[in-house]
Amino acid sequence: MPLTLPVDPHALAALAELVSPPAGSPMRRRDFVFGVGTSSYQIEGAAHEDGRLPSIWDSFCATPGKVARGENGEVACDHYHRWPQDLDLLESLGVDAYRFSIAWPRVMDEQGRPNSRGIDFYKRLLDGLAERGMRAFVTLYHWDLPQWMEDRGGWLNRETAYRFADYADLMSRELRGRVAAWATHNEPWCAAYLGYGNGHHAPGHNVTRWGTQAMHHLLLGHGLALPALRANDPAAQVGIVANVGPGYPDTETEEDRHAADLYDAYQNRWVLDPLLKGEYPAALWKLWKGSEPLVLPGDMETIARPIDYLGLNYYSRAVVRATGEDSFEWVHRPGVERTTMDWEVHPQGLQDILEAFKQRYPDLPPIHITENGMSSADQVLGGQVEDAQRQSYLKRHFAACSRAMANGVDVRGYFIWSLMDNFEWAFGYERRFGIVHVDFGTQRRTPKRSALAYAAFLRQRAAAG
Ligand code: FCB
């Protein structure tokens, strides 16, 4: 159901105030892109339809003990069938752009042959977005690797990087002209480290050295995909999305400051240094001695090919302390504001990290905040969802982003994670990140107050021209 906003201008203004950037913020300019995001496995469902093949997440969910309550993405938000209504909902939000991902196992088989039924789904979705006046930010890889690729070694196998480039080539030929911005990968850190290094995500391996090799092949796949994306779809922007967060030392001792630097290498530089400087951070091999990946001549140049934008996902910060010469541990500070993920709410970290990256990388491309948001235990009461913490969270993060922009960081867009509650990976359906509530029994969507407020702000901005 599309959402409805108050007609009375005062009521609209009061609502908009709840989720909006500060007065005078550069985020209020009409050309700043506001959106919401989702990903294929988290919302689509229809796991066995129209020739979709199994992904590593289907297998992982089917492995006892891996996902809370044994939940899976077989139905999820049933978006594969409900997409027209979901697009109406997006349109009523008034967002400029929608970020979603393509399920590789829907569109290509083991022989590399296209699956036209799967591809047609994304064509219909893109046409539906265009008809409703929204731009598409399309991610090629948001973690749902075809299981047949994993059976050949997945991201441990260098061949996967080349198959990924073939997949990017196919999709950009099929969808050319309909996509505003491509992202090769979403969060290679999670795909590599959680998937291969510690086993919390699919495919569930837990060898540090495998994590670094998987990362190298993910990044190589990104670099290999760029020329095809550019050649096939020259009007589109091309980039990649990384999850980032600052690490602060617990105390100001030299040891803890070194720990924070190690954390930064592990969390941020592991991904951003290869992309923006063409090298892995040396500090990482102090933390993970002997875990260097095999890198072939020319790889780092391929990985560091120029991109048009960098997508950053920001949720929280870490506080760390030294546990040895080159090791750290997380400090869980009591009494600070947290979400139901147990993640600390720390808007200042967004400003700090944006400004740090601007300092660190002279060639930092324009930035889109491709994810920011929080999970809370939202309930529908009398047809409404009062998600006060989320409203405040978003408002404070908009303000932090505005401060970084005022200090010269080139941020072009901001996507709230997520359009709607969905399958939150190993945590299943309990962690609700949506600005729209989903009742997974009935598939009923109920806009939370944060969605209404965001829509009110966007309507006001549009009216102001
Ligand atoms: C990010 C993922 C996204 C979602 C949010 C909460 O790591 O990209 O799919 O799970 O976290």
Side-chain angles (χ1 to χ4, degrees):
M1 239 207 331
L3 49 77
T4 41
L5 293 175
V7 219
D8 171 56
H10 296 293
L12 191 75
L15 186 59
E17 191 48 37
L18 300 173
V19 176
S20 56
S25 161
M27 290 175 76
R28 286 182 174 264
R29 286 204 301 258
R30 194 60 194 88
D31 61 350
F32 190 87
V33 179
F34 277 105
V36 288
T38 63
S39 87
S40 45
Y41 192 72
Q42 294 180 279
I43 67 163
E44 285 179 357
H48 310 286
E49 274 175 62
D50 293 340
R52 180 187 178 278
L53 298 170
S55 82
I56 55 173
W57 271 94
D58 298 284
S59 313
F60 194 68
C61 293
T63 311
K66 296 297 184 188
V67 174
R69 298 166 297 279
E71 290 169 350
N72 60 51
E74 299 260 313
V75 178
C77 304
D78 196 30
H79 172 73
Y80 194 76
H81 300 116
R82 294 169 193 265
W83 65 269
Q85 298 93 296
D86 288 339
L87 290 191
D88 289 345
L89 183 59
L90 277 167
E91 185 183 17
S92 70
L93 271 172
V95 288
D96 305 304
Y98 173 49
R99 172 175 182 253
F100 66 95
S101 77
I102 293 172
W104 185 355
R106 256 190 219 292
V107 295
M108 201 181 207
D109 74 4
E110 189 164 353
Q111 279 71 41
R113 288 178 304 223
N115 172 24
S116 58
R117 286 176 298 167
I119 295 171
D120 285 347
F121 168 71
Y122 297 107
K123 287 186 175 164
R124 288 194 295 272
L125 191 67
L126 287 165
D127 289 346
L129 278 170
E131 281 158 20
R132 292 167 180 82
M134 287 173 281
R135 276 172 273 169
F137 276 58
V138 178
T139 305
L140 286 163
Y141 187 69
H142 201 126
W143 310 350
D144 40 3
L145 186 73
Q147 181 59 42
W148 58 262
M149 284 262 41
E150 178 60 23
D151 294 341
R152 300 181 190 175
W155 290 108
L156 294 177
N157 183 351
R158 190 176 167 92
E159 188 60 20
T160 301
Y162 291 89
R163 296 288 76 78
F164 175 75
D166 293 344
Y167 157 59
D169 180 38
L170 171 69
M171 294 321 296
S172 51
R173 273 187 282 118
E174 292 282 347
L175 305 180
R176 75 175 95 213
R178 307 178 203 223
V179 174
W182 293 96
T184 51
H185 293 302
N186 175 70
E187 303 189 349
W189 188 94
C190 291
Y193 186 63
L194 304 181
Y196 293 82
N198 77 7
H200 291 183
H201 278 186
H205 303 304
N206 57 359
V207 181
T208 303
R209 167 74 181 72
W210 289 14
T212 68
Q213 193 65 58
M215 174 67 89
H216 186 65
H217 291 150
L218 280 151
L219 295 176
L220 182 64
H222 156 81
L224 291 170
L226 292 175
L229 291 169
R230 290 196 187 288
N232 295 336
D233 200 4
Q237 301 271 299
V238 181
I240 185 169
V241 170
N243 55 306
V244 294
Y248 300 94
D250 186 35
T251 68
E252 283 307 317
T253 57
E254 199 179 314
E255 289 77 13
D256 282 359
R257 278 196 272 119
H258 178 61
D261 182 68
L262 286 175
Y263 177 86
D264 181 61
Y266 149 94
Q267 180 65 63
N268 305 310
R269 276 143 49 204
W270 183 18
V271 180
L272 296 183
D273 279 12
L275 291 169
L276 301 174
K277 292 167 71 175
E279 64 191 30
Y280 286 104
L284 201 59
W285 315 129
K286 290 190 192 165
L287 180 69
W288 288 336
K289 289 178 194 69
S291 291
E292 293 91 332
L294 177 65
V295 176
L296 298 190
D299 284 1
M300 299 314 291
E301 289 75 17
T302 302
I303 290 171
R305 283 175 176 157
I307 49 178
D308 302 321
Y309 77 96
L310 176 66
L312 297 178
N313 296 350
Y314 177 81
Y315 289 95
S316 187
R317 69 152 172 183
V319 178
V320 296
R321 72 169 151 241
T323 50
E325 203 181 318
D326 287 311
S327 58
F328 67 84
E329 69 180 9
W330 281 259
V331 176
H332 195 270
R333 287 197 173 156
V336 300
E337 182 186 350
R338 291 178 187 278
T339 71
T340 59
M341 293 296 282
D342 205 24
W343 295 347
E344 181 181 348
V345 177
H346 193 73
Q348 184 59 40
L350 176 58
Q351 180 187 353
D352 290 352
I353 208 150
L354 287 170
E355 293 178 4
F357 293 165
K358 183 179 157 63
Q359 284 254 315
R360 185 181 300 167
Y361 303 109
D363 297 326
L364 186 69
I367 287 167
H368 284 274
I369 305 299
T370 30
E371 289 182 24
N372 175 246
M374 59 159 284
S375 73
S376 45
D378 306 313
Q379 284 179 310
V380 186
L381 293 172
Q384 303 199 345
V385 186
E386 185 48 83
D387 56 346
Q389 193 191 6
R390 178 174 294 101
Q391 296 153 36
S392 152
Y393 178 101
L394 291 170
K395 189 171 175 162
R396 285 178 281 161
H397 284 79
F398 284 2
C401 180
S402 302
R403 292 194 296 274
M405 290 175 75
N407 290 339
V409 184
D410 183 5
V411 184
R412 307 267 175 103
Y414 207 109
F415 293 73
I416 295 176
W417 184 271
S418 173
L419 165 63
M420 54 187 161
D421 296 337
N422 57 47
F423 176 72
E424 180 48 36
W425 309 112
F427 297 98
Y429 292 96
E430 193 199 36
R431 305 292 163 90
R432 295 181 173 272
F433 274 91
I435 58 170
V436 173
H437 181 276
V438 177
D439 178 328
F440 293 103
T442 61
Q443 289 296 342
R444 188 182 171 85
R445 278 89 161 120
T446 308
K448 303 178 189 177
R449 169 119 22 231
S450 57
L452 297 167
Y454 192 34
F457 159 63
L458 293 170
R459 181 157 313 174
Q460 269 197 331
R461 187 186 62 147

